[in-house]
């Protein structure tokens, strides 16, 4: 499972994924987040951006097919209908003197059930018998339509609907003036609402179970020994409704440093790595998170800024690391409030994974 699919399925856990409106909201968030990230990545070519859009479309299509109801199987129990009772053929009354002249046939005799539709010997070539032939063919049992064809049609319609929805919601048809480009380098984040009690799950609990074997934990709030704060900075381990997080604040634009182990960098060297910072703002207000990295011989991640709201969300950034052996560990430095207004930030986890192309 790639990192994007994992992020979508992780968002599904915060609501009722069986409801289509909820899934569409998660898909729209994923597409919007991808577009914001691609606009911020000037180093990517248009071909690479298109490939990532197609990758996301394919991932969403594969996920959505899991929610298409299975078609009923052909060959199920059939209820046989009793055969219609045969009507006795009318007994024609012929006068002895009229036997020399043939009596006109009654139309009802042409439809008598004693005529076998498979035997053409009882049907004359008279034009009046053509009507009897058509009715006999209409009465014959027709082959049952295959449910496979109905399922194929339903699948094609679903794909077309999904493609139309993606085209309308992704903003491809919008002009550059209509798009919101006021904030540069936005996060590739699936923003969540208060869907259910999943908000009460801790960062080290079942929320990360789907990423087991793929995500590498860089920071866990239960172990704050890998965090350092400058003079005037505060770091406090907090617990609220079974949620454990690190509350950080600084002054004067200083940053909080999180250690990245050498073993983590060795695993990610030579790969495209995705880093996830799970955080939220304090006191119901937004704050601007600014981050930078120092990975030693593997370089850095530039400087990125996110607008963080009061809802717990994942803020992702991608870095292509050179294929070199790191001589030591590195750091990720976070400025909780780049505007200098003193807002605090709650950090639930920092993780990394290898991105799929």
């Amino acid at each position: 499972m790639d990192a994007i699919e994992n992020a979508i399925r992780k968002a599904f856990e915060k609501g009722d994924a069986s409801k289509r409106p909820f899934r569409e909201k998660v898909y729209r968030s994923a597409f919007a987040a991808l577009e914001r990230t691609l606009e911020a990545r000037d180093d990517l070519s248009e071909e690479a951006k298109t490939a990532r859009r197609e990758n996301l479309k394919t991932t969403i299509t594969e996920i959505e097919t899991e929610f298409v109801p299975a078609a009923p199987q052909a060959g199920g129990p059939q209820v046989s209908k009793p055969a219609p009772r045969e009507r006795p053929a009318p007994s024609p009354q012929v006068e002895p003197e009229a036997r020399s002249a043939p009596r006109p046939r009654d139309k009802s005799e042409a439809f008598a059930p004693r005529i076998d539709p498979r035997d053409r010997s009882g049907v004359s070539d008279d034009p009046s018998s053509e009507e009897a032939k058509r009715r006999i063919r209409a009465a014959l049992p027709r082959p049952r339509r295959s449910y496979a064809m109905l399922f194929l049609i339903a699948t094609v319609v679903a794909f077309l609907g999904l493609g139309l929805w993606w085209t309308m919601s992704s903003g491809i048809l919008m002009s550059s003036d209509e798009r919101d480009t006021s904030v540069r380098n936005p996060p590739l984040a699936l923003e969540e609402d208060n869907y259910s009690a999943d908000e009460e799950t801790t960062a080290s609990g079942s929320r990360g179970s789907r990423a087991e074997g793929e995500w590498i934990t860089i920071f866990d709030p239960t172990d704050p020994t890998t965090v350092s704060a400058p003079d005037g900075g505060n770091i406090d381990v907090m617990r609220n409704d079974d949620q454990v997080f690190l509350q950080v604040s600084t002054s004067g634009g200083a940053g909080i440093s999180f250690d990245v182990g050498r073993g983590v960098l060795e695993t990610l060297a030579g790969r495209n790595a995705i880093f996830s910072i799970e955080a939220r703002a304090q006191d119901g207000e937004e704050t601007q998170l600014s981050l930078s990295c120092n990975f030693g011989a593997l370089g850095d991640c530039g400087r990125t800024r996110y607008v963080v709201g009061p809802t717990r969300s994942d803020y992702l950034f991608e870095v292509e690391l050179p294929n070199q052996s790191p001589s030591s560990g590195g750091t990720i430095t976070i400025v909780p409030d780049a505007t200098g207004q003193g807002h605090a930030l709650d950090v639930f986890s920092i993780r990394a994974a290898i991105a799929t192309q």
Side-chain angles (χ1 to χ4, degrees):
M1 185 184 302
D2 60 36
I4 300 301
E5 178 182 358
N6 184 66
I8 293 175
R9 294 188 182 275
K10 183 178 178 183
F12 278 175
E13 294 181 355
K14 302 169 186 177
D16 188 356
S18 65
K19 296 181 179 180
R20 184 182 180 88
F22 169 75
R23 298 198 307 274
E24 290 181 351
K25 185 173 184 179
V26 174
Y27 296 152
R28 286 195 296 270
S29 179
F31 277 115
L34 176 63
E35 289 300 321
R36 291 196 299 268
T37 297
L38 294 180
E39 290 179 2
R41 294 293 303 274
D42 296 334
D43 57 321
L44 291 178
S45 64
E46 288 300 323
E47 290 78 7
K49 293 181 179 180
T50 301
R52 298 198 179 188
R53 293 189 184 103
E54 292 298 324
N55 181 42
L56 180 55
K57 287 172 56 180
T58 301
T59 299
I60 290 178
T61 301
E62 292 176 353
I63 294 175
E64 189 63 20
T65 55
E66 299 175 7
F67 299 93
V68 176
Q73 295 294 327
Q78 302 294 329
V79 179
S80 60
K81 295 183 179 180
R85 298 180 59 184
E86 292 188 355
R87 293 184 302 162
S91 302
Q93 300 295 331
V94 183
E95 294 296 333
E97 63 273 15
R99 292 189 180 184
S100 59
R103 180 185 176 184
R105 296 186 58 174
D106 190 3
K107 290 185 178 180
S108 62
E109 295 182 32
F111 309 133
R114 56 193 177 89
I115 298 176
D116 189 350
R118 295 169 298 176
D119 185 7
R120 297 180 52 88
S121 62
V123 181
S124 67
D125 294 332
D126 190 88
S128 63
S129 66
E130 292 300 324
E131 179 69 17
K133 293 179 182 179
R134 286 195 293 270
R135 296 200 178 190
I136 290 173
R137 285 195 295 267
L140 292 177
R142 297 179 180 273
R144 191 181 299 272
R145 286 192 176 183
S146 174
Y147 286 108
M149 179 61 68
L150 297 178
F151 177 76
L152 177 61
I153 295 175
T155 303
V156 172
V157 172
F159 273 102
L160 292 177
L162 184 61
L164 179 61
W165 165 79
W166 178 84
T167 302
M168 299 300 296
S169 61
S170 62
I172 292 181
L173 303 179
M174 298 172 60
S175 64
S176 58
D177 295 334
E178 294 174 328
R179 297 182 183 178
D180 183 9
T181 57
S182 57
V183 180
R184 187 168 179 80
N185 288 337
L188 176 56
L190 301 182
E191 298 179 359
E192 62 181 80
D193 296 329
N194 293 326
Y195 296 124
S196 64
D198 286 347
E199 286 286 337
E200 299 176 0
T201 309
T202 63
S204 59
S206 62
R207 291 185 57 149
S209 60
R210 286 185 176 273
E212 184 177 354
E214 297 180 9
W215 288 97
I216 304 172
T217 299
I218 296 176
F219 164 72
D220 189 311
T222 59
D223 181 19
T225 59
T226 59
V227 185
S228 59
D231 294 337
N234 295 316
I235 55 174
D236 298 301
V237 177
M238 308 293 289
R239 183 182 294 272
N240 182 13
D241 296 333
D242 294 333
Q243 297 184 15
V244 181
F245 54 90
L246 189 70
Q247 188 174 99
V248 298
S249 62
T250 59
S251 60
I256 305 294
S257 296
F258 297 83
D259 293 340
V260 181
R262 179 178 177 180
V264 175
L265 295 180
E266 289 176 345
T267 302
L268 302 177
R271 307 287 188 90
N272 285 343
I274 291 181
F275 291 84
S276 170
I277 299 176
E278 191 174 14
R280 71 181 176 193
Q282 272 285 315
D283 302 326
E285 298 181 358
E286 291 185 345
T287 184
Q288 291 193 22
L289 178 155
S290 176
L291 68 86
S292 58
C293 311
N294 182 3
F295 297 144
L298 300 185
D300 56 35
C301 61
R303 183 173 295 274
T304 310
R305 178 175 295 190
Y306 307 116
V307 176
V308 181
T311 304
R312 178 176 175 178
S313 302
D314 291 297
Y315 297 88
L316 312 179
F317 64 95
E318 184 175 348
V319 182
E320 184 175 356
L321 299 175
N323 190 13
Q324 298 183 18
S325 177
S327 58
S328 62
T331 58
I332 296 177
T333 302
I334 295 177
V335 178
D337 184 10
T339 62
Q341 298 181 10
H343 293 305
L345 185 72
D346 293 341
V347 181
F348 292 86
S349 68
I350 299 178
R351 299 178 300 166
I354 298 174
T356 58
Q357 297 296 326

